[in-house]
Amino acid sequence: MIYSDKTIDLINAAEELTSALSQSETGQAYIRAKRARAHSAQAQDVIRDFNRIKEEYELVQRFGRYHPDYQTITKKVHEVKRALDLQEEVATFKKAEKQLETLLGQISLKLAGEVSPQIKVPTGNPFFDQGCAGGCSTGGSCSCSG
């Protein structure tokens, strides 16, 4: 690719945008929550427990209901997952992560929409996903216009 002045301007604008995002209230809340989760001994213990039981669960899943420990491990996974979700630093981090994800989705939609309203942006949030869902290339009926 040959870089034109416009391309260099776009790259510089993207760098400014990333800096603005990380300095924004949402970005700073995410960074603080991530740091708090990493430095919380209680959060790390619950995360370690969850990862351990998840490995056991994956081993049991190879045999499914026929494994002798299927019910026990499945119940334990749910219990540890609940403990993980309720742990204060983990819950705060997940909330901050979701807010940052929403902001990034809105920015992605704005950028794509400036080029063309038909551009699909996978935001992971059905509220923001729009465009020609399923359309022409997937064998469905084409709802794209333009």
Side-chain angles (χ1 to χ4, degrees), residues 50 53-54 56-58 60-61 64-65 67-82:
F50 177 74
I53 196 72
K54 188 174 92 172
E56 290 181 40
Y57 180 76
E58 288 170 356
V60 167
Q61 279 302 106
R65 298 180 205 271
H67 192 283
D69 295 331
Y70 177 80
Q71 294 292 335
T72 306
I73 296 296
T74 300
K75 182 179 178 184
K76 186 71 174 167
V77 165
H78 291 294
E79 291 170 357
V80 173
K81 174 71 169 111
R82 179 168 167 73

Side-chain angles (χ1 to χ4, degrees), residues 36-104:
R37 184 192 64 173
H39 289 96
S40 168
Q42 185 183 16
Q44 293 308 307
D45 288 345
V46 175
I47 291 168
R48 196 172 11 265
D49 288 348
F50 177 74
N51 287 331
R52 182 186 48 77
I53 196 72
K54 188 174 92 172
E55 287 176 15
E56 290 181 40
Y57 180 76
E58 288 170 356
L59 289 172
V60 167
Q61 279 302 106
R62 291 190 301 173
F63 301 100
R65 298 180 205 271
Y66 303 107
H67 192 283
D69 295 331
Y70 177 80
Q71 294 292 335
T72 306
I73 296 296
T74 300
K75 182 179 178 184
K76 186 71 174 167
V77 165
H78 291 294
E79 291 170 357
V80 173
K81 174 71 169 111
R82 179 168 167 73
L84 180 67
D85 290 341
L86 294 176
Q87 203 287 322
E88 184 179 348
E89 288 83 7
V90 172
T92 301
F93 172 75
K94 285 184 175 187
K95 182 179 177 187
E97 185 178 47
K98 186 66 178 167
Q99 289 172 339
L100 182 60
E101 181 182 312
T102 299
L103 178 59
L104 291 171

Side-chain angles (χ1 to χ4, degrees), residues 3-19:
Y3 288 100
S4 66
D5 289 340
K6 292 259 187 217
T7 304
I8 292 170
D9 289 343
L10 282 172
I11 291 170
N12 290 336
E15 288 174 358
E16 290 175 20
L17 178 60
T18 57
S19 178

